[in-house]
Amino acid sequence: MARFEAALVASAPASPLRWQFTFLAGKLLLPEGETLQLQPLAAAAAPLLSADAHYLGRLEGVDCWALSVSELPPGWQAVSLRAAMLAMPEALLAVAARAAQLIEWDRAHRFCGVCGTPTLRKADERCRICPACQHLAYPRLSPAMMALVWRGRELLLARSPGFAPGIYSALAGFVEAGESLEQCVLREVAEEVGVQVGRLQYYGSQSWPFPHSLMVAYTAQWQAGEIVPQAGEIEDAQWFDIDALPAIPPRFSIAGHLIRDTVARLKSGELA
């Protein structure tokens, strides 16, 4: 995997090219007429960096920046971040997720949440500070669990009303205050589909910039109960044989990796 070195301040000399993640109203800007693939740009070819631009670090020695603009520059198009991420390699995808979350954090914390005073950026850390009451606002992360429930050669997959037509995925939900990730898995699975699970195994995690989640994925073995979809949250949930799965998320999301890798483990007998 390509090496990314995070940094708060750019070091000299600047790299000849740079990755520039430019956002307009939540959409990523790409050159007109190109496929949905971000390319490193020469400084002269990129939208101008502003004082509000965020330096992210270097990806394989190339400077990475994130910024927002209020209007579309000539020669550029605005596309959904999700669509653009589908075409990105894993290393670039992770930097894009970082960029999107920093832009959203900066937008949402221009004023102090305590006293309403306009905030300022701190020079020595990724933070906005209120000059009046000194309240600090750091980039927000919302941890969420993802649970893929299995039973023999079957996977419990579900779809929410907001999913693309025909797509089924693992269960997911946000961690509540005072709750561990494992407690969240047990609660969310019971709430969303009415079954009890055990044998939790950590799979992996992924930063997910919609808008600022940290997805933490597990597999869990079914223990008891019949599927009862949660009204308003789960449109449909079913057991699927691993050789007859419905459409599932692509590999750019951790859900896509989790489902495919669990199928491989079940077929090999590693998970039994």
Side-chain angles (χ1 to χ4, degrees):
M1 183 174 178
R3 182 181 179 186
F4 176 71
E5 298 178 354
L8 182 65
V9 180
S11 58
S15 60
L17 299 177
R18 66 177 180 231
W19 290 107
Q20 189 159 310
F21 301 89
T22 307
F23 293 89
L24 172 62
K27 292 189 173 183
L28 182 66
L29 299 192
L30 297 175
E32 282 184 344
E34 300 290 334
T35 59
L36 296 185
Q37 292 184 352
L38 192 68
Q39 299 293 331
L41 300 170
L48 293 176
L49 292 173
S50 66
D52 288 336
H54 297 267
Y55 184 70
L56 307 175
R58 286 187 169 180
L59 179 63
E60 291 293 303
V62 178
D63 288 324
C64 301
W65 291 86
L67 66 150
S68 61
V69 294
S70 57
E71 59 184 26
L72 190 65
W76 292 78
Q77 60 177 325
V79 303
S80 77
L81 178 61
R82 191 183 296 265
M85 289 174 70
L86 281 168
M88 291 182 185
E90 186 174 352
L92 192 62
L93 188 154
V95 184
R98 180 187 296 256
Q101 291 177 76
L102 288 179
I103 292 297
E104 171 58 21
W105 156 74
D106 202 49
R107 182 198 67 81
H109 291 87
R110 293 301 176 100
F111 295 89
C112 177
V114 176
C115 69
T117 301
T119 59
L120 304 171
R121 280 206 208 163
K122 287 196 72 180
D124 59 343
E125 59 181 335
R126 195 83 71 183
C127 177
R128 294 192 72 93
I129 185 170
C130 174
C133 72
Q134 303 300 301
H135 176 68
L136 302 176
Y138 291 92
R140 178 181 174 182
L141 289 178
S142 300
M145 75 84 209
M146 178 172 288
L148 181 58
V149 182
W150 61 277
R151 180 181 69 180
R153 285 177 50 88
E154 296 179 310
L155 298 180
L156 199 168
L157 300 176
R159 56 175 284 108
S160 74
F163 280 14
I167 296 290
Y168 282 74
S169 187
L171 303 171
F174 287 104
V175 181
E176 294 185 352
E179 192 174 51
S180 70
L181 291 169
E182 292 77 15
Q183 289 169 333
C184 179
V185 170
L186 300 180
R187 175 185 57 78
E188 282 285 351
V189 171
E191 288 179 358
E192 291 194 345
V193 293
V195 306
Q196 289 75 54
V197 296
R199 286 187 63 188
L200 272 60
Q201 290 187 11
Y202 172 74
Y203 172 79
S205 63
Q206 181 183 34
S207 177
W208 193 243
F210 303 104
H212 38 61
S213 299
L214 176 63
M215 304 303 300
V216 185
Y218 289 84
T219 58
Q221 185 180 36
W222 174 86
Q223 299 292 313
E226 298 298 324
I227 295 176
V228 180
Q230 184 180 14
E233 293 289 331
I234 302 298
E235 184 177 271
D236 186 41
Q238 301 179 39
W239 288 106
F240 292 94
D241 185 88
I242 57 176
D243 288 326
L245 295 181
I248 59 176
R251 279 193 177 271
F252 92 102
S253 73
I254 194 170
H257 287 284
L258 173 64
I259 294 169
R260 290 171 176 83
D261 289 352
T262 301
V263 167
R265 293 180 67 196
L266 288 170
K267 287 185 175 181
S268 71
E270 178 185 345
L271 196 63

